Amino acid sequence: MRLVVAFALVAALTAASTGALTFREARTGVLQQGQDTVIKLLRTQVDQLAPDLAYPPDQAELQRFASGVARGEPAGTWRVLVEYGDLSATSVPGDRFEERTPALRRAVDSSTATVFQRVTRGDRTVLVVGMSVVFATSETGVRNPSGVRVFLTVPQTTERAYIDALVTAVERATIPSLALAVLLALLAARGVLRPVRALRGATRSIAEGRLDTRLAVHGSDELADLSLTFNETAAALEESVAELRGMEGRARRFAADVSHELRTPLAAMSAVTDVLDEDAARLDPDTATAVRLISEETVKLTRLVDDLMEISRFDAGAAVLHLDEIDLAESLRRTLAARAWTDVVGTDLPPPDTLRATVDPRRLDVVVANLVGNALRHGGRPVLLRLWERGGAGPVRRAIIEVLDSGPGIPADVLPHVFERFYKSDAARTRTEGSGLGLAIAAENVRLHGGTVRAANRPEGGAVFTVELPLRGPSEESWS
């Protein structure tokens, strides 16, 4: 549309400027031709009648001279005024000759040349011509003014008709030129925009993941070069993405394989450390300390391997929900009791069987345990676990689970990264009690349920982790 409008504007400006210049030149030519014709005919008529003019002329002689000059135009459109001193006569009786201006009269009085002026009265334009009648002396041949002044008015009706016809022709020519410009614009737009639209469609296809999209290359102009460059870029992108996907798949398989292979020796190590823990009291202090250290590190390593296995299932898209309708408040109480947190974590839970939802109980237990454990390790006590219901748009209702601590809160630069894997707010701290994957696993489990989880700082101090779960069965896409 912009191209069509641009072509139309250019055509309109070109037609207007060309028409204006043509009109000005044609108008000047028409008026000049009419003016020259009138002046030439007037001079001829005056030169013919002047020798017969009695000098000094009386009123009757001036009247005869005016009538004779007026008869020089066969169509009878001339109006003539002849003056000599205080005497004047017109070819039309009673004519006041209002078209003659003082400036024209002064020009005739001061010069022997023929002068003219166009005067517009209303919608009528007349040509007013003035000249002095001169006589030539026989001895010197010098032409001297006789004091007789002749004024002539001629209506420029014919010239005006020619000009009006010219304006009409210009106006009529403008519409076809605009139509032609729009047609050319449409043709140009089709030739230019068709490959651009094809490029836009191919770009959208690439953005949607169809990396094998290519453009047909026609010709050798700039658009063809652009299409060729797009194809080369798409091919390079497809190759790079394929390589990255292969590397990502190999990395996932490596993590899963390593975690799987570590489980068997870790199981054996755990059994050995259990035996050693039972005999630690009978060992010397240094040996007992070493045994306890090995036991703690084995537990941490076992937890890390289990978390890595869980993350690898999420990455591979193999995580599955096993849904069941449960009482959310009772599920949260069991999570705290299973980890002996009932006495260290405060609760604000609804009565039994007042808030039920269809969730995966095991994954919900993992979410709550990770959030509460994180609050106990990195926040400050007391820690509060709350559960309540919030209505949503339409039939959608949500269960809100909040874990609040009384610690120093989370630094502002850390908040956007708390759910990232292995993220450490302190780069110098290389060891933590957890695996560094707990919050990431919690976030993945919440997402699998079609919910959201976020972290924030409370105005009164401390951090708050908020989980929102829909109180309806998740869609089929959320089940796998």
Side-chain angles (χ1 to χ4, degrees):
M1 181 57 65
R2 288 194 296 268
L3 190 60
V4 171
V5 172
F7 268 74
L9 288 177
V10 170
L13 291 175
T14 302
S17 58
T18 303
L21 292 174
T22 303
F23 171 76
R24 186 181 69 177
E25 294 299 325
R27 179 177 180 273
T28 301
V30 169
L31 294 178
Q32 184 70 38
Q33 182 179 3
Q35 163 195 312
D36 293 345
T37 301
V38 170
I39 292 176
K40 182 178 180 181
L41 187 58
L42 175 61
R43 286 176 177 172
T44 301
Q45 190 71 3
V46 170
D47 289 343
Q48 290 178 354
L49 297 177
D52 297 333
L53 180 63
Y55 191 81
D58 54 13
Q59 181 68 35
E61 192 68 17
L62 291 178
Q63 185 66 51
R64 182 185 64 80
F65 188 76
S67 299
V69 173
R71 286 193 297 270
E73 207 282 310
T77 59
W78 282 11
R79 292 164 45 222
V80 180
L81 168 66
V82 180
E83 293 182 338
Y84 178 75
D86 295 333
L87 300 177
S88 64
T90 61
S91 60
V92 179
D95 192 352
R96 299 176 60 183
F97 227 85
E98 296 177 350
E99 294 85 357
R100 183 184 60 171
T101 63
L104 181 67
R105 182 170 184 172
R106 287 193 298 271
V108 173
D109 292 339
S110 61
S111 174
T112 59
T114 303
V115 296
F116 66 92
Q117 186 178 27
R118 295 188 187 90
V119 179
T120 301
R121 294 296 178 89
D123 59 348
R124 187 170 63 92
T125 302
V126 297
L127 177 65
V128 183
V129 182
M131 61 179 300
S132 296
V133 179
V134 295
F135 296 109
T137 60
S138 57
E139 294 82 2
T140 62
V142 177
R143 299 173 64 86
N144 297 314
S146 64
V148 178
R149 299 181 298 275
V150 179
F151 296 92
L152 168 70
T153 62
V154 181
Q156 294 190 300
T157 306
T158 303
E159 290 80 358
R160 182 63 178 269
Y162 288 156
I163 294 172
D164 291 343
L166 183 61
V167 171
T168 302
V170 172
E171 292 176 349
R172 290 178 177 176
T174 301
I175 296 178
S177 64
L178 289 177
L180 180 61
V182 171
L183 178 60
L184 292 176
L186 292 175
L187 293 176
R190 182 179 180 185
V192 173
L193 298 182
R194 182 169 54 186
V196 173
R197 288 170 179 160
L199 178 61
R200 181 181 61 184
T203 304
R204 288 179 177 175
S205 180
I206 290 287
E208 293 171 356
R210 295 190 290 272
L211 301 181
D212 57 344
T213 303
R214 299 293 185 271
L215 289 173
V217 180
H218 302 289
S220 58
D221 55 3
E222 290 80 0
L223 291 174
D225 292 341
L226 180 60
S227 300
L228 183 61
T229 302
F230 174 85
N231 291 340
E232 294 174 350
T233 304
L237 179 62
E238 183 180 17
E239 182 178 355
S240 299
V241 170
E243 183 177 355
L244 289 174
R245 286 175 177 171
M247 294 172 61
E248 183 181 9
R250 290 191 294 271
R252 290 175 179 174
R253 288 193 299 272
F254 174 77
D257 292 343
V258 169
S259 301
H260 180 74
E261 293 298 328
L262 286 175
R263 299 190 73 173
T264 300
L266 280 175
M269 292 174 62
S270 297
V272 173
T273 54
D274 289 341
V275 174
L276 292 176
D277 284 339
E278 294 176 358
D279 296 336
R282 295 190 295 273
L283 300 175
D284 62 88
D286 292 338
T287 305
T289 301
V291 167
R292 293 189 184 95
L293 179 61
I294 292 174
S295 178
E296 291 174 0
E297 293 300 323
T298 302
V299 171
K300 291 180 181 179
L301 184 58
T302 302
R303 185 184 302 120
L304 175 60
V305 170
D306 291 339
D307 289 345
L308 284 175
M309 290 290 294
E310 185 72 7
I311 284 291
S312 65
R313 282 192 288 269
F314 283 119
D315 290 342
V320 179
L321 289 176
H322 298 284
L323 299 174
D324 190 13
E325 185 179 348
I326 63 171
D327 179 3
L328 291 180
E330 183 61 27
S331 176
L332 299 188
R333 292 188 182 96
R334 286 198 298 267
T335 297
L336 297 180
R339 293 163 178 81
W341 287 342
T342 304
D343 296 332
V344 296
V345 177
T347 58
D348 181 8
L349 306 176
D353 286 330
T354 59
L355 188 56
R356 302 182 66 85
T358 303
V359 297
D360 185 327
R362 184 187 71 81
R363 295 188 182 278
L364 179 62
D365 176 77
V366 171
V367 171
V368 176
N370 279 330
L371 295 180
V372 174
N374 181 78
L376 291 173
R377 285 192 301 270
H378 303 295
R381 299 185 183 185
V383 174
L384 177 63
L385 175 62
R386 295 198 305 189
L387 172 65
W388 49 285
E389 178 184 347
R390 183 172 68 190
V396 179
R397 296 157 35 240
R398 290 183 174 270
I400 309 300
I401 302 173
E402 289 184 331
V403 177
L404 306 93
D405 65 55
S406 303
I410 305 174
D413 59 333
V414 176
L415 270 176
H417 308 286
V418 293
F419 296 105
E420 294 180 5
R421 303 173 185 180
F422 298 111
Y423 180 78
K424 295 182 176 64
S425 60
D426 184 2
R429 181 169 56 87
T430 59
R431 296 282 295 167
T432 61
E433 292 185 32
S435 64
L437 296 172
L439 292 180
I441 291 175
E444 291 289 348
N445 279 311
V446 172
R447 181 192 61 80
L448 204 61
H449 282 84
T452 59
V453 59
R454 60 183 181 275
N457 289 317
R458 295 190 295 159
E460 60 270 21
V464 54
F465 286 81
T466 304
V467 175
E468 294 190 18
L469 295 175
L471 288 176
R472 55 175 173 78
S475 63
E476 293 297 330
E477 288 184 336
S478 301
W479 295 6
S480 60

